[in-house]
Amino acid sequence: GAGVSQSPSNKVTEKGKDVELRCDPISGHTALYWYRQSLGQGLEFLIYFQGNSAPDKSGLPSDRFSAERTGGSVSTLTIQRTQQEDSAVYLCASSYAGTGNEKLFFGSGTQLSVL
Amino acid sequence: DQQVKQNSPSLSVQEGRISILNCDYTNSMFDYFLWYKKYPAEGPTFLISISSIKDKNEDGRFTVFLNKSAKHLSLHIVPSQPGDSAVYFCAARGTNAGKSTFGDGTTLTVKP
């Protein structure tokens, strides 16, 4: 597609359930990022994938959060045993090669609400 | 420890006037800085960037200034237009790239 695609756009779940969020980056982009934005807050880094390198997981807030990137393209962010504080907009971004001077292209995000 | 700070949560200006958005950073390893604009229910979109080897970069109505010694950058929008009303995020990256570190954003409102 022309841009970064995220699905679902909205997800409502019950506390304790697992959720999966999907990101389809721009074709040819080797770098993929997950961020989240809680209400009234800035963008919080979660995880970064670059090619075949080991991902930078330094931003994942707990071991309930995990992400994978299959075939160097589509990525899935999984949150297990969701908590109310996980409610946020989860944003995925991609860039061509992950170099310092590159801009990120963001998807529209997944609004996650944990009841 | 927040490494990128935007100390003004909001800014309101009249159409046609200058908007100045500020950003401070603490990590001296940052050497590339970007501004993104975000409308409601959309992802952020890239606006303008600057490398640490420069002190100014201009693109149309948008100019970014970098003061490395003060670890401060600012985004100037002249003239401001109602369509510029959005949340503006400052972001910083190091030479080795990887993640970008974002500020909390400044909500700009341009009044007609």
Side-chain angles (χ1 to χ4, degrees):
Chain A
V4 177
S5 178
Q6 291 188 246
S7 61
S9 55
N10 283 281
K11 177 70 177 179
V12 180
T13 190
E14 294 179 350
K15 177 181 173 181
K17 300 285 189 182
D18 298 351
V19 295
E20 285 189 352
L21 311 180
R22 176 188 168 103
C23 173
D24 201 342
I26 292 173
S27 178
H29 281 192
T30 63
L32 186 146
Y33 314 75
W34 283 98
Y35 286 83
R36 74 175 175 181
Q37 185 180 19
S38 302
L39 190 63
Q41 303 297 312
L43 274 66
E44 176 189 6
F45 168 76
L46 297 177
I47 189 169
Y48 161 66
F49 296 89
Q50 171 51 44
N52 295 321
S53 302
D56 175 358
K57 304 180 181 181
S58 61
L60 295 179
S62 77
D63 59 7
R64 296 186 295 104
F65 288 73
S66 63
E68 63 177 19
R69 188 178 186 192
T70 55
S73 181
V74 172
S75 176
T76 302
L77 177 69
T78 301
I79 309 173
Q80 296 179 310
R81 305 180 303 281
T82 53
Q83 304 295 311
Q84 289 183 333
E85 60 263 29
D86 299 336
S87 296
V89 176
Y90 288 80
L91 291 161
C92 176
S94 70
S95 67
Y96 182 67
T99 57
N101 62 348
E102 287 185 338
K103 59 187 178 183
L104 304 185
F105 293 82
F106 282 87
S108 296
T110 294
Q111 173 72 65
L112 175 65
S113 300
V114 182
L115 305 179
Chain B
D1 175 34
Q2 193 166 13
Q3 297 187 52
V4 177
K5 295 182 181 181
Q6 295 177 255
N7 292 319
S8 297
S10 63
L11 175 67
S12 181
V13 300
Q14 285 296 133
E15 180 178 7
R17 306 296 291 269
I18 185 171
S19 295
I20 300 176
L21 296 93
N22 294 302
C23 178
D24 296 292
Y25 63 96
T26 57
N27 190 337
S28 58
M29 299 302 291
F30 289 146
D31 61 3
Y32 206 73
F33 305 89
L34 307 95
W35 285 93
Y36 291 83
K37 181 167 74 171
K38 184 182 184 301
Y39 293 117
E42 296 182 8
T45 56
F46 170 77
L47 188 58
I48 192 169
S49 62
I50 189 167
S51 166
S52 60
I53 63 174
K54 295 185 176 181
D55 55 16
K56 177 183 175 181
N57 188 28
E58 189 172 355
D59 183 2
R61 296 186 296 115
F62 303 91
T63 303
V64 56
F65 296 92
L66 174 63
N67 182 333
K68 280 192 67 176
S69 61
K71 293 189 175 66
H72 176 84
L73 62 154
S74 61
L75 173 67
H76 292 210
I77 306 173
V78 182
S80 301
Q81 299 174 354
D84 296 330
S85 296
V87 179
Y88 290 78
F89 290 99
C90 171
R93 303 177 82 171
T95 304
N96 294 327
K99 66 183 182 184
S100 295
T101 301
F102 285 79
D104 286 345
T106 296
T107 300
L108 173 66
T109 302
V110 180
K111 298 180 178 179

